[in-house]
């Protein structure tokens, strides 16, 4: 998901400023626009295909619905990471306020989403193991 969002957003520099005059907090990768669109589009297509497989598994009962509480925060964290990377690598003039916003708001939000997913996955795995042990005994 991060590569899909990163590639589809594209490079965002300050408009109307010569590239030589731009300041970068982190220098962006120098890839052709077509390359970033190809990478982003390919990653988006792969993400949609994976989502389709997961939805089909959920409908068939092979993936318990509770596991979406793990998957969706990971998808959101990935999208935020891709968008945040574009903001941090954008060319600006002077202060890079977007990067400050990513650092102050984006990073803690992504960390919280990851912690939620890990905690929920551990809880669901432990519950599955408990259910297996009790069904084995009876």
């Amino acid at each position: 998901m991060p590569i899909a969002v990163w590639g589809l957003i594209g490079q965002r520099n300050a408009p109307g400023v010569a590239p030589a005059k731009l300041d970068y907090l982190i220098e962006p990768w120098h890839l052709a626009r077509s390359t970033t669109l190809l990478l982003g589009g390919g990653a988006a297509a792969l993400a949609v295909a994976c989502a389709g497989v997961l939805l089909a598994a959920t409908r068939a009962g092979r993936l318990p619905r509770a596991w979406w509480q793990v998957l969706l925060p990971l998808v959101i964290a990935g999208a935020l990471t891709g968008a945040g990377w574009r903001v941090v690598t954008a060319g600006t003039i002077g202060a890079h306020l977007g990067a400050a916003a990513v650092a102050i708001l984006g990073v803690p939000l992504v960390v919280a989403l990851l912690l939620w997913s890990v905690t929920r996955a551990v809880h669901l795995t432990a519950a599955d193991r408990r259910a297996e042990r009790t069904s084995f005994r009876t």
Side-chain angles (χ1 to χ4, degrees), residues 2-29:
I3 294 173
V5 172
W6 167 86
L8 295 176
I9 288 176
Q11 186 61 30
R12 298 288 182 228
N13 293 328
V17 180
K21 294 186 177 187
L22 292 172
D23 297 323
Y24 295 98
L25 179 65
I26 298 174
E27 188 80 21
W29 299 320

Side-chain angles (χ1 to χ4, degrees), residues 115-138:
L115 287 174
W116 168 268
S117 288
V118 168
T119 303
R120 191 69 183 128
V122 168
H123 174 75
L124 290 171
T125 302
D128 286 347
R129 287 185 180 162
R130 280 192 304 273
E132 286 176 6
R133 277 188 265 153
T134 57
S135 68
F136 182 70
R137 291 178 187 166
T138 57

Side-chain angles (χ1 to χ4, degrees), residues 105-120:
L105 301 173
V107 171
L109 182 55
V110 167
V111 169
L113 288 166
L114 294 176
L115 287 174
W116 168 268
S117 288
V118 168
T119 303
R120 191 69 183 128

Side-chain angles (χ1 to χ4, degrees), residues 20-43:
K21 294 186 177 187
L22 292 172
D23 297 323
Y24 295 98
L25 179 65
I26 298 174
E27 188 80 21
W29 299 320
H30 298 289
L31 299 173
R33 176 76 177 139
S34 60
T35 303
T36 60
L37 282 174
L38 182 65
L39 289 171

Side-chain angles (χ1 to χ4, degrees), residues 54-134:
L54 291 170
L55 285 169
T58 302
R59 289 187 63 146
R62 292 187 309 271
L63 176 66
R65 290 182 186 268
W67 279 95
W68 284 97
Q69 297 170 9
V70 174
L71 297 172
L72 290 178
L74 292 174
V75 169
I76 294 167
L80 288 172
T81 300
W85 185 253
R86 277 300 187 193
V87 169
V88 170
T89 60
T92 62
I93 297 177
H96 202 313
L97 300 178
V102 168
I104 293 170
L105 301 173
V107 171
L109 182 55
V110 167
V111 169
L113 288 166
L114 294 176
L115 287 174
W116 168 268
S117 288
V118 168
T119 303
R120 191 69 183 128
V122 168
H123 174 75
L124 290 171
T125 302
D128 286 347
R129 287 185 180 162
R130 280 192 304 273
E132 286 176 6
R133 277 188 265 153
T134 57

